[in-house]
Amino acid sequence: MVIMFSFLEGEDRGWSGIFGIMMEIDNEGSRQIRVRFITKLSPPLKVPDMSIAVPSNLSRMGLSETVNLLLKNGDPDCEYQPFDFVIDGELVRMSLEEFLHAKGISAEKVLEIEYINVVAPRKKEGACVHDDWVSAVDGSNPSFILTGCFDSLGRVWKSAGLCTHVLEGHSGSITSVCIINPTDVGNNTCFHLATAAKDRTLRLWKLNAAEMDTYPVKLRPFKILKGHALSVQSVSSGPSLDMICSGSWDCSIKLWDTKESGVEGNAVSVKKRKVDSDSTLHEESQLEADALSTLVGHTQCVSSVVWPERDVIYSASWDHSVKRWDIESGKDTLNLVSGKALNCIDIGGESSALIAAGGSDPILRIWDPRKPGTLAPVFQFSSHSSWITACKWHSQSWFHLLSASHDGKVMLWDLRTAWPLAVIDSHKDKVLSVDWWKGDSVISGGADSELRIFSGVNI
């Protein structure tokens, strides 16, 4: 592709003199469209506010080349970088000609095109190897990652390959994990964690994340939460940081107090544990607690719960439904039906109002309960080839979310296009869990017994 600049006669050959860009490309029959590139990116990534003529058969790659040439013309030292392009709130994934035709946009006026950073992982970190399937991950704290494993152990990872703490106590596979106070500003080295397992219990842990000389440190729970009749599938913390909720195979959702003491119904249980090789037994006390309340309404396994607002819990179930619960009344105030058994749910997007859920088909469904008169999904993404096991919104973006699947892939989505922005295909088996970490990294765990970290996601 050859690019030529034309200047107004007698004017300085700087940006003010450029009135158009003419491109010679293989398809010489392509008509010209006048466009203006705009961006919210900071200088030096801003091109001049001017309209130029470009071939109508340019697609994302050609548009990116054009913007880079404009930037380099203003700054010869500017390094090449790829861009994405948005027209009328939608990412361009075809030629300009095809896009304008599909959207019914006139090619006679100057077309305003916003360019943004390409969102895709740029670096693959080393794997964090476990002894069994990695069933759960939580990356809500920027200083460490919490994982749950089918070997009944929880683990804390400071970075790729560095396990700092091992959580011992469950007698069944861990199914879900949660950092209760991920951004506790009062004490940024002491955190409370929650784990749920197939042994029908939840357990609470105290983590001191301060630097230590010897790793890994073995932790025991300070409280055991009992009350579910079957495997506990999901745990989520409430915004108040002193309560969690759980979903179980027994079809119920339970609410629990996470405080260490002073809670009605707590009973001290004295356990004996072997702590060294000479078989010396030490006594250790743990609290056992019952649930504060129970929400009943699902008819099959409650596979996933999330607690985004103080008085509202969302749940997904194998009974094909998504429910929104009013905690005070204990009643469900919204019931969405997907037609498939659901494995995961998360709340995010615009005003944290969109519901994403996936289950026993390859479709990631997204609902907007603010839209009156319909309970149908507003988006359906179908690039996976097997069950969806996990989904997670980006906390700082209205548009971006992740999905994980039994097809062994993690996909990064943008609501402005039906195609995934990126496909991460690094696991050698089913992917069971996924989350964001530090805002610019994707973490995932799978049946290959590995935690994977991909960084450099520019959102």
Side-chain angles (χ1 to χ4, degrees):
M1 181 170 60
V2 179
I3 299 183
M4 301 181 299
F5 295 87
S6 297
F7 298 87
L8 294 174
E9 185 178 353
E11 288 204 14
D12 174 65
R13 296 197 171 203
W15 284 116
S16 61
I18 297 176
F19 71 89
I21 293 178
M22 301 178 63
M23 296 189 174
E24 296 176 358
I25 58 175
D26 293 337
N27 184 3
E28 293 182 359
S30 176
R31 63 171 172 154
Q32 301 282 307
I33 297 176
R34 296 197 70 79
V35 304
R36 177 182 289 109
F37 291 107
I38 62 172
T39 189
K40 296 184 179 71
L41 300 176
S42 302
L45 295 180
K46 285 197 174 194
V47 300
D49 185 14
M50 52 181 277
S51 65
I52 62 174
V54 300
S56 62
N57 63 355
L58 277 190
S59 57
R60 175 185 173 194
M61 187 76 71
L63 291 170
S64 195
E65 293 279 357
T66 305
V67 170
N68 273 278
L69 282 163
L70 290 171
L71 292 171
K72 197 166 188 65
N73 190 77
D75 178 9
D77 296 327
C78 183
E79 294 186 3
Y80 178 89
Q81 61 180 299
F83 295 103
D84 251 321
F85 299 87
V86 180
I87 300 175
D88 282 358
E90 187 165 338
L91 282 170
V92 177
R93 286 295 183 269
M94 56 190 77
S95 71
L96 288 177
E97 184 85 34
E98 293 168 327
F99 188 91
L100 296 181
H101 178 74
K103 302 302 175 184
I105 300 173
S106 171
E108 302 304 317
K109 63 177 184 177
V110 175
L111 184 63
E112 203 167 75
I113 304 177
E114 180 183 2
Y115 61 97
I116 61 177
N117 284 318
V118 166
V119 176
R122 290 171 170 81
K123 183 180 179 182
K124 178 181 178 180
E125 311 283 349
C128 301
V129 180
H130 294 62
D131 293 332
D132 209 330
W133 292 11
V134 183
S135 50
V137 297
D138 187 336
S140 57
N141 185 282
S143 62
F144 64 88
I145 300 169
L146 174 63
T147 64
C149 185
F150 265 47
D151 63 5
S152 78
L153 300 176
R155 291 174 175 85
V156 174
W157 303 83
K158 189 172 182 179
S159 60
L162 178 56
C163 177
T164 61
H165 297 77
V166 177
L167 282 55
E168 298 180 336
H170 280 292
S171 60
S173 301
I174 293 179
T175 54
S176 183
V177 297
C178 173
I179 304 172
I180 297 174
N181 56 332
T183 57
D184 187 359
V185 295
N187 184 347
N188 58 10
T189 63
C190 186
F191 301 94
H192 284 183
L193 316 175
T195 55
K198 292 186 176 182
D199 61 11
R200 301 179 293 177
T201 71
L202 298 102
R203 294 175 191 245
L204 304 181
W205 318 75
K206 287 182 289 186
L207 169 69
N208 185 349
E211 292 288 342
M212 303 189 73
D213 295 330
T214 305
Y215 290 130
V217 178
K218 294 184 178 181
L219 300 181
R220 300 287 291 181
F222 70 83
K223 184 185 283 190
I224 302 173
L225 308 179
K226 296 183 175 181
H228 280 296
L230 296 171
S231 170
V232 188
Q233 293 298 108
S234 181
V235 60
S236 179
S237 66
S240 65
L241 306 181
D242 59 3
M243 292 183 67
I244 58 173
C245 65
S246 59
S248 167
W249 268 100
D250 63 14
C251 308
S252 73
I253 299 165
K254 291 184 181 292
L255 278 63
W256 313 83
D257 195 305
T258 63
K259 292 192 290 290
E260 295 184 46
S261 60
V263 179
E264 232 177 277
N266 276 358
V268 176
S269 175
V270 177
K271 308 291 183 182
K272 290 187 178 181
R273 180 165 60 100
K274 190 181 297 184
V275 296
D276 49 38
S277 58
D278 64 2
S279 299
T280 302
L281 293 178
H282 284 211
E283 289 190 346
E284 91 179 352
S285 61
Q286 293 174 326
L287 298 174
E288 292 186 355
D290 297 324
L292 298 179
S293 61
T294 302
L295 307 176
V296 178
H298 284 294
T299 58
Q300 292 192 45
C301 168
V302 180
S303 54
S304 185
V305 291
V306 62
W307 195 341
E309 303 172 44
R310 187 176 186 88
D311 300 319
V312 177
I313 289 173
Y314 290 82
S315 60
S317 170
W318 279 32
D319 64 13
H320 303 182
S321 74
V322 168
K323 292 183 183 292
R324 181 179 63 201
W325 302 86
D326 178 87
I327 295 176
E328 185 174 351
S329 66
K331 304 295 183 183
D332 62 283
T333 59
L334 178 70
N335 185 53
L336 302 172
V337 179
S338 71
K340 295 291 180 179
L342 295 175
N343 299 318
C344 58
I345 187 173
D346 197 32
I347 309 300
E350 183 181 357
S351 302
S352 297
L354 302 185
I355 304 168
S360 59
D361 67 5
I363 301 174
L364 179 65
R365 295 173 173 86
I366 298 174
W367 290 267
D368 186 349
R370 300 169 301 177
K371 291 187 177 296
T374 178
L375 297 179
V378 292
F379 298 99
Q380 297 191 78
F381 298 129
S382 55
S383 293
H384 282 295
S385 59
S386 188
W387 286 23
I388 293 175
T389 54
C391 58
K392 190 69 177 182
W393 289 96
H394 194 283
S395 62
Q396 302 301 316
S397 172
W398 284 6
F399 303 109
H400 298 98
L401 72 160
L402 299 166
S403 62
S405 170
H406 280 181
D407 64 13
K409 296 178 176 63
V410 172
M411 294 192 181
L412 169 56
W413 302 94
D414 187 311
L415 298 186
R416 294 168 292 188
T417 179
W419 293 272
L421 295 182
V423 178
I424 302 174
D425 190 10
S426 65
H427 285 282
K428 299 181 284 290
D429 206 330
K430 298 183 288 289
V431 187
L432 305 177
S433 52
V434 71
D435 200 359
W436 298 95
W437 187 40
K438 298 194 280 194
D440 68 348
S441 299
V442 175
I443 58 175
S444 58
D448 58 3
S449 304
E450 291 184 346
L451 167 70
R452 286 287 180 176
I453 306 173
F454 285 81
S455 58
V457 185
N458 196 351
I459 292 182

